[in-house]
Amino acid sequence: MQLGGIHHVSAITGDAEQNHDFFTRILGMRLVKKTVNQDSTSSYHLFYADAVGTPGTDMTYFDIPNAGKTYPGVSSISNTAFRIMSEEALVFWKQRFEKMGVEHDEVIERFGRRTLTFHDAEGSRLMLVVDDGKGVPYGIPWETDDISEAFAIVGLGPVTLTVRDAGPTVNVLTEILNFTEIGSYSSLVEGIPEIRVFSTGEGGAGAEIHVETRIDLPVEKPGRGSVHHVAFRVATIEEYDKWEELLRQKGFLTSGKVDRYYFKSIYFREPSGILYELATDEPGFATDESTEKLGETLALPPFLEPRRKEIEASLRPINIKN
């Protein structure tokens, strides 16, 4: 069985309105689903993606207003990248970040691609990567008033894991999840081993995990801006069932099969403590809303709909629109 690449990345915000402003107004992504954390329904769960919510394009945030500060370290998902289609787009984004006061570093090359790291106001560790479109196809650009299709974000790029001991993490990626090691590149930190690159499915930036070894850091203390988990794409329900069986056979304690309505999931932790999710591509976000209306209202899956009044009463009022 082969995973199809990155499905989504889920992180934490302490300010849903500020988070929404950053991802929609500044980054130009589309809010494709405004729903709740199904495991804690008093918290919003916001999904930002391409024009139609294509699997592999969505960054999601759980709204936890009392979340503390993140103290970066190992056992973490330390960077999430977004794919853009050209060098010209990278120039556009660097100038846009400077104009809008977005904290960012200089453009550098990582694994043969031009990249630009940046942060939102809560310290989310993010990166733009110029991607030639080989491998996992681009998503469908969401054009805004000031971001053209040519410059739009078109999917998730490589996700970086930071661990103290790469061995067990690499073993899960290659021996359990069937990733292939395809190379490495130099770390920006002196004395730190090269960052190793692993790929799955069709390959390319949308199908890569980068593993960084840091023996000099403590375990990360998560908070605002930290990543909760990374999800990998499962093509079919048949494969989804087989993945659950395989993980249990290999001795992993999993969540069991969890129906999220928009996709079906299995959760488990790899040896460094990082949370992985395997998520199906189908049925998708247009299951309960038309593509044209995605993200415009509070969407609840059918098993939560009977509790709508109770859930809405428990949510803090927020003013966000697509």
Side-chain angles (χ1 to χ4, degrees):
M1 292 184 293
Q2 196 76 54
L3 297 168
I6 309 300
H7 187 283
H8 66 267
V9 174
S10 291
I12 296 169
T13 178
D15 187 335
E17 289 165 311
Q18 181 185 64
N19 177 262
H20 175 266
D21 179 73
F22 185 84
F23 277 87
T24 59
R25 182 178 64 86
I26 295 179
L27 293 188
M29 298 177 73
R30 185 182 185 189
L31 178 68
V32 296
K33 191 64 60 178
K34 179 172 70 173
T35 184
V36 296
N37 179 350
Q38 294 178 12
D39 300 320
S40 178
T41 57
S42 62
S43 171
Y44 289 100
H45 193 182
L46 306 177
F47 290 74
Y48 308 103
D50 70 349
V52 297
T54 305
T57 70
D58 53 306
M59 182 81 183
T60 95
Y61 276 84
F62 299 111
D63 178 42
I64 304 176
N66 60 353
K69 178 182 176 181
T70 293
Y71 293 88
V74 298
S75 298
S76 69
I77 298 167
S78 57
N79 189 274
T80 304
F82 298 97
R83 302 162 69 192
I84 54 176
M85 296 184 285
S86 67
E87 293 276 356
E88 291 77 16
L90 194 64
V91 172
F92 165 84
W93 281 105
K94 189 171 187 295
Q95 293 173 345
R96 183 174 177 83
F97 288 165
E98 289 167 354
K99 178 182 177 181
M100 294 187 161
V102 175
E103 180 184 350
H104 66 282
D105 297 316
E106 293 303 311
V107 173
I108 67 168
E109 186 170 297
R110 291 177 171 86
F111 199 56
R113 304 184 186 106
R114 301 285 280 171
T115 67
L116 176 64
T117 56
F118 65 101
H119 302 84
D120 67 7
E122 296 183 298
S124 292
R125 292 156 288 180
L126 309 169
M127 182 168 69
L128 294 173
V129 56
V130 177
D131 176 37
D132 60 10
K134 295 178 181 178
V136 175
Y138 295 138
I140 300 173
W142 178 243
E143 188 172 13
T144 68
D145 290 342
D146 55 352
I147 303 173
S148 70
E149 288 189 6
F151 296 157
I153 289 170
V154 288
L156 292 172
V159 170
T160 302
L161 313 180
T162 296
V163 297
R164 184 165 290 152
D165 179 2
T169 295
V170 168
N171 183 69
V172 170
L173 288 172
T174 58
E175 300 301 318
I176 307 299
L177 299 182
N178 295 325
F179 278 74
T180 299
E181 187 164 6
I182 60 171
S184 63
Y185 60 96
S186 297
S187 168
L188 296 179
V189 182
E190 186 176 352
I192 297 302
E194 288 198 326
I195 295 172
R196 299 166 67 179
V197 179
F198 300 84
S199 180
T200 188
E202 296 178 89
E208 288 178 5
I209 292 291
H210 295 192
V211 178
E212 176 190 40
T213 301
R214 295 292 299 268
I215 62 172
D216 58 321
L217 296 177
V219 174
E220 178 159 305
K221 181 180 178 182
R224 299 185 304 274
S226 65
V227 173
H228 186 267
H229 66 266
V230 58
F232 303 116
R233 295 175 65 177
V234 176
T236 67
I237 296 298
E238 290 74 21
E239 287 191 4
Y240 170 74
D241 292 336
K242 291 178 181 178
W243 277 113
E244 167 65 10
E245 181 180 353
L246 174 65
L247 290 169
R248 289 188 179 276
Q249 287 177 351
K250 296 296 185 179
F252 288 92
L253 178 63
T254 78
S255 61
K257 293 185 281 189
V258 181
D259 187 354
R260 297 299 190 195
Y261 187 59
Y262 308 110
F263 43 84
K264 297 182 185 297
S265 300
I266 303 165
Y267 301 84
F268 71 101
R269 290 192 185 274
E270 56 91 59
S272 291
I274 297 170
L275 184 61
Y276 289 165
E277 176 184 354
L278 306 185
T280 59
D281 280 358
E282 296 181 344
F285 293 119
T287 302
D288 56 356
E289 297 177 299
S290 68
T291 301
E292 294 74 22
K293 298 289 186 180
L294 287 174
E296 292 187 3
T297 60
L298 180 68
L300 296 178
F303 49 84
L304 292 179
E305 188 61 45
R307 297 175 50 204
R308 177 174 287 273
K309 287 186 179 180
E310 170 199 341
I311 289 171
E312 289 181 339
S314 70
L315 293 167
R316 65 188 183 92
I318 57 173
N319 181 26
I320 60 174
K321 296 180 180 179
N322 201 338

